[in-house]
Amino acid sequence: MPTPSMEDHIEQIYLLIANKGYARVSDIAEALSVLPSSVTKMVQKLDKDGYLVYEKYRGLTLTPKGEKLGKRLVQRHELLEQFLRMIGVDEERIYDDVEGIEHHLSWNSIDRIADLVQVMEENPDIVKKLEASKTQHNL
């Protein structure tokens, strides 16, 4: 099982490749607010563990294993943002809250949240009731 730090790196690499077509150590370091030397060490570990292929000075590519996990991690992040938005969490809190909880939930919990989001999408009255209760709490 990848650690939270490994997941953060894989997720960021996946996003960079999806958006720019490549991921450099310096881009990953900037996105994660860590030192390039830390990224290099992590990238070497991810290479050893089969999540990516890293060639010094040539860049890196995700393996099918890394690509699959990266996609799933991005989907998890997006799902949690969507869920928190649906339940009325203040927009300026959502990113930090997702970052704080995403590594602490099991994939089973993520799947149940996905089911709940689907139910809420299919039953907009639930969301309206939540919005109404938020308004009552803020009085």
Side-chain angles (χ1 to χ4, degrees), residues 17 28 32 37 49 80 87 94 101 123 136 138:
I17 291 172
I28 300 162
L32 295 174
S37 58
D49 290 351
L80 291 172
I87 63 171
I94 290 176
I101 63 174
N123 299 279
Q136 289 174 349
N138 290 338

Side-chain angles (χ1 to χ4, degrees), residues 94-112:
I94 290 176
Y95 182 82
D96 288 340
D97 285 355
V98 169
E99 287 297 310
I101 63 174
E102 66 183 339
H103 300 296
H104 300 285
L105 294 173
S106 68
W107 287 106
N108 181 254
S109 293
I110 296 295
D111 291 342
R112 297 297 62 80

Side-chain angles (χ1 to χ4, degrees), residues 5-131:
S5 181
M6 291 169 75
E7 287 184 348
D8 285 342
H9 281 74
I10 293 168
E11 181 178 6
Q12 196 56 56
I13 291 165
Y14 180 88
L15 287 169
L16 285 165
I17 291 172
N19 293 327
K20 295 172 69 170
Y22 61 90
R24 297 180 312 199
V25 167
S26 58
D27 297 327
I28 300 162
E30 182 180 337
L32 295 174
S33 300
V34 297
L35 294 172
S37 58
S38 298
V39 173
T40 298
K41 286 179 191 167
M42 180 59 75
V43 163
Q44 290 168 341
K45 178 168 181 31
L46 293 171
D47 184 359
K48 183 173 143 284
D49 290 351
Y51 291 102
L52 56 82
V53 176
Y54 174 64
E55 295 179 49
K56 197 171 183 180
Y57 307 117
R58 304 200 90 217
L60 52 93
T61 55
L62 290 170
T63 63
K65 175 182 173 180
E67 178 96 14
K68 181 179 176 184
L69 180 57
K71 182 177 182 178
R72 191 160 191 217
L73 294 170
V74 168
Q75 289 171 336
R76 174 182 72 184
H77 190 100
E78 291 170 350
L79 171 71
L80 291 172
E81 281 187 1
Q82 179 185 11
F83 175 66
L84 293 180
R85 203 168 276 118
M86 285 178 106
I87 63 171
V89 172
D90 294 335
E91 195 64 35
E92 63 273 4
R93 298 259 346 129
I94 290 176
Y95 182 82
D96 288 340
D97 285 355
V98 169
E99 287 297 310
I101 63 174
E102 66 183 339
H103 300 296
H104 300 285
L105 294 173
S106 68
W107 287 106
N108 181 254
S109 293
I110 296 295
D111 291 342
R112 297 297 62 80
I113 290 171
D115 292 342
L116 180 57
V117 165
Q118 183 177 350
V119 167
M120 291 170 74
E121 287 176 337
E122 293 168 357
N123 299 279
D125 288 347
I126 295 171
V127 177
K128 288 177 186 165
K129 286 178 183 178
L130 275 171
E131 288 170 1

